[in-house]
Amino acid sequence: MKTKIQFYCTECGNETPKWQGKCSACGAWNTIVERPTEPKKKSGAISMRSTRIAINRPKPLEEVETTTELRFETGMCELDRVLGGGAVKGSLVLVGGAPGIGKSTLMLQICDNLCRFATVLYVSGEESERQIKLRAERLHIRNQGLYLLSETNLENILDAVHEQKPDILIVDSIQTLYNGELTTAPGSVGQVKDCTMALMQVAKGEGITVFVIGHVNKEGSIAGPKVLEHMVDCVLYFEGDQNLNYRILRAAKNRFGATNEIGVFEMEDIGLSEVPNPSEMLLDGRPKNTPGTCVTCVMEGVRPVLAEVQALIAPTSFNVPRRTSNGFDFNRVNLLLAVLEKRGGLMVSTCDAYINVIGGLFLDEPAADLAMVIALASSFRDKPVPGDLAAVGEVGLTGELRSVSALGQRLSEVRRLGFTKCLVPTRNTGKLIEPEGLQLIHVHNIREALAVLQ
Ligand code: TYD
Ligand code: MG
């Protein structure tokens, strides 16, 4: 007898009567999804899919019409920048982030501006219409063109979209949606994939711009494995420390723009406010005359951002020294500690080292190496780094300093924030114009850099 519910592997197509974590045919993990039992339905995702298949025919490349994508601004410059200059009509944007980080707040806030020129449908599976209204009142949103719907059934949502024909659809969150044709629970891999696919068809088929909120779970993936990233046009992650007020919006994927931009926001009593000057915010409250801290400048996209690196070095009381790193690659910290010992002559191998980058930033750029080495050395020697000194440079394994990109831009930002001295790699300074008021200290290697600070 044939089993009613069928599961299949999205990688190799292998069919199985029950769900399993690993495909027994190809060995891939988390690829088994449910196949709907009734392929023919009047409305909903499945029927839309079959219509699309019927009307789409292969076209020669030269016959494909090329219209430049229509963009519109969301009214939040930081979000627009991350999207690559505004949202694209008919695209699907996934906004991911940990619960409570402010995704719903961000989406509701952009509604305020979007409603001025478009009809917006805000579908929430998490809050009632009343709750959304209360939040909207708190955020001072009183526009006419905003429609709310508290619903979790995909088919009902699609019906509402067909009836309402909004220009922009916001879905909060994808984990609460379910397709009644599947028997699995909302939030399961199959459900989340199926609902996203249906929303994607709404976006492409009807030119509606869709924003979908997705919660990132503890492992850092949306709905289990990062199942949605490949399906959608744009993936934005909203990050930040929930205990701190600022939040960083990052693009992980963007079919219509670059992915190296960040947007910075601050969570206030009346919602999120934009932070056009992140360096100022990140350096706010920096301790003066304290050992173990150094400021560097990293490029976040095309924007230079100043960041404070903190290090604490103390003699270890364990057999193996303890090392922790927050905001900086752990292996890179170990590497820099080894370089510091071997090439800088500081005996740090018998010390515990604790690293922290202020403001929830993650410094994955080698240009931050020199500041890290200086912060470590400063803590080891218990000697503060001058408050008006910043450091930029990549450290090589022989302790040499290597050049970094966009040094001119970085130095202008360093100067703008009131620093008067900056350590830079000698190799970098060939054609560089020294910004007025900023003294450049050229160093070949970390020994020279450490000598400057003695
Ligand atoms: P929310 O947008 O509900 O988070 P998410 O949708 O990502 O789960 O934001 C929840 C947090 O934001 C909550 O802890 C309270 C805080 N918040 C403010 O501080 N100010 C505000 O004006 C709002 C609306 C929320
Ligand atoms: Mg929410």
Side-chain angles (χ1 to χ4, degrees):
M1 195 185 83
K2 225 171 169 249
T3 328
K4 208 170 162 215
I5 304 157
Q6 276 284 344
F7 293 85
Y8 72 102
C9 173
T10 49
E11 290 289 321
C12 67
N14 172 44
E15 292 198 341
T16 152
K18 63 181 197 324
W19 188 86
Q20 53 201 45
K22 186 181 175 184
C23 173
S24 48
C26 68
W29 284 92
N30 293 317
T31 52
I32 305 287
V33 294
E34 194 180 320
R35 197 193 292 284
T37 39
E38 293 164 44
K40 285 197 184 86
K41 261 254 154 181
K42 275 172 242 77
S43 64
I46 311 303
S47 56
M48 281 180 62
R49 243 169 264 171
S50 31
T51 12
R52 268 184 65 78
I53 290 162
I55 52 171
N56 269 351
R57 298 260 180 280
K59 268 185 211 158
L61 178 66
E62 59 268 24
E63 281 179 26
V64 178
E65 285 174 38
T66 51
T67 46
T68 44
E69 69 261 12
L70 281 174
R71 279 187 192 266
F72 57 88
E73 290 183 351
T74 61
M76 278 209 155
C77 302
E78 297 290 307
L79 175 62
D80 288 338
R81 190 201 343 255
V82 179
L83 286 169
V88 173
K89 190 173 183 299
S91 67
L92 192 144
V93 180
L94 174 68
V95 183
I101 203 81
K103 303 178 293 296
S104 309
T105 310
L106 178 70
M107 285 298 114
L108 201 54
Q109 267 183 272
I110 62 167
C111 289
D112 193 27
N113 188 53
L114 295 176
C115 292
R116 292 193 190 135
F117 56 87
T119 320
V120 185
L121 177 59
Y122 188 105
V123 179
S124 180
E126 307 206 332
E127 291 160 303
S128 66
E129 282 127 11
R130 217 181 127 259
Q131 277 174 307
I132 306 170
K133 168 122 199 228
L134 285 174
R135 189 199 287 252
E137 275 174 5
R138 197 166 148 198
L139 299 171
H140 305 299
I141 298 168
R142 290 191 192 87
N143 267 321
Q144 297 288 314
L146 177 59
Y147 292 83
L148 304 178
L149 174 69
S150 184
E151 181 60 70
T152 52
N153 187 315
L154 177 70
E155 211 165 306
N156 295 349
I157 293 170
L158 294 177
D159 286 346
V161 170
H162 292 147
E163 197 177 306
Q164 178 91 36
K165 300 210 184 327
D167 302 302
I168 294 146
L169 170 68
I170 297 175
V171 178
D172 183 5
S173 65
I174 192 71
Q175 276 97 349
T176 55
L177 256 54
Y178 74 95
N179 179 354
E181 293 166 24
L182 305 180
T183 51
T184 42
S188 65
V189 177
Q191 287 283 7
V192 166
K193 269 192 165 182
D194 199 80
C195 295
T196 309
M197 191 66 91
L199 293 172
M200 193 72 186
Q201 281 160 9
V202 167
K204 302 289 163 223
E206 306 183 25
I208 298 175
T209 309
V210 184
F211 289 90
V212 176
I213 291 178
H215 293 293
V216 171
N217 59 19
K218 283 198 193 84
E219 289 81 42
S221 52
I222 290 177
K226 293 185 165 191
V227 282
L228 304 180
E229 279 194 359
H230 69 283
M231 294 160 81
V232 304
D233 294 315
C234 191
V235 182
L236 309 182
Y237 282 112
F238 209 28
E239 300 166 352
D241 194 330
Q242 279 191 25
N243 303 319
L244 299 172
N245 281 348
Y246 34 87
R247 308 273 186 265
I248 294 174
L249 189 69
R250 233 176 251 287
K253 166 182 174 179
N254 193 351
R255 284 185 181 151
F256 307 106
T259 52
N260 53 8
E261 289 292 350
I262 62 160
V264 184
F265 298 87
E266 191 172 359
M267 182 63 94
E268 292 175 351
D269 290 345
I270 47 157
L272 291 157
S273 65
E274 299 179 73
V275 180
N277 261 323
S279 299
E280 267 167 38
M281 183 198 73
L282 291 167
L283 294 189
D284 196 30
R286 191 162 64 97
K288 296 260 155 62
N289 273 328
T290 317
T293 145
C294 185
V295 170
T296 188
C297 185
V298 290
M299 297 301 289
E300 289 285 358
V302 292
R303 249 197 318 185
V305 175
L306 293 197
E308 183 191 342
V309 181
Q310 291 194 340
L312 178 67
I313 296 238
T316 187
S317 46
F318 303 99
N319 288 338
V320 180
R322 258 183 84 82
R323 266 111 204 242
T324 64
S325 173
N326 189 11
F328 206 91
D329 182 54
F330 180 72
N331 293 325
R332 188 105 193 135
V333 171
N334 281 330
L335 185 147
L336 293 175
L337 280 164
V339 173
L340 191 59
E341 171 146 345
K342 194 90 176 150
R343 311 287 168 209
L346 304 187
M347 293 300 143
V348 286
S349 58
T350 52
C351 295
D352 293 338
Y354 306 96
I355 307 299
N356 188 27
V357 176
I358 301 295
L361 273 188
F362 191 91
L363 308 185
D364 49 4
E365 224 198 339
D369 288 354
L370 183 58
M372 173 61 71
V373 166
I374 289 175
L376 288 166
S378 156
S379 176
F380 181 80
R381 292 167 166 171
D382 217 15
K383 250 187 131 225
V385 177
D388 59 348
L389 181 128
V392 176
E394 177 179 351
V395 175
L397 288 186
T398 64
E400 87 279 16
L401 283 185
R402 318 209 53 128
S403 47
V404 299
S405 59
L407 187 63
Q409 261 175 290
R410 296 180 205 250
L411 294 179
S412 311
E413 181 74 357
V414 167
R415 175 72 204 108
R416 198 179 66 78
L417 270 283
F419 289 82
T420 56
K421 285 181 244 156
C422 188
L423 283 170
V424 289
T426 313
R427 285 157 207 253
N428 230 161
T429 43
K431 287 177 250 157
L432 193 76
I433 306 157
E434 204 164 307
E436 206 177 317
L438 183 70
Q439 183 201 347
L440 297 188
I441 305 169
H442 309 284
V443 280
H444 285 96
N445 50 45
I446 60 165
R447 246 180 210 281
E448 282 185 23
L450 297 181
V452 171
L453 299 169
Q454 283 234 322

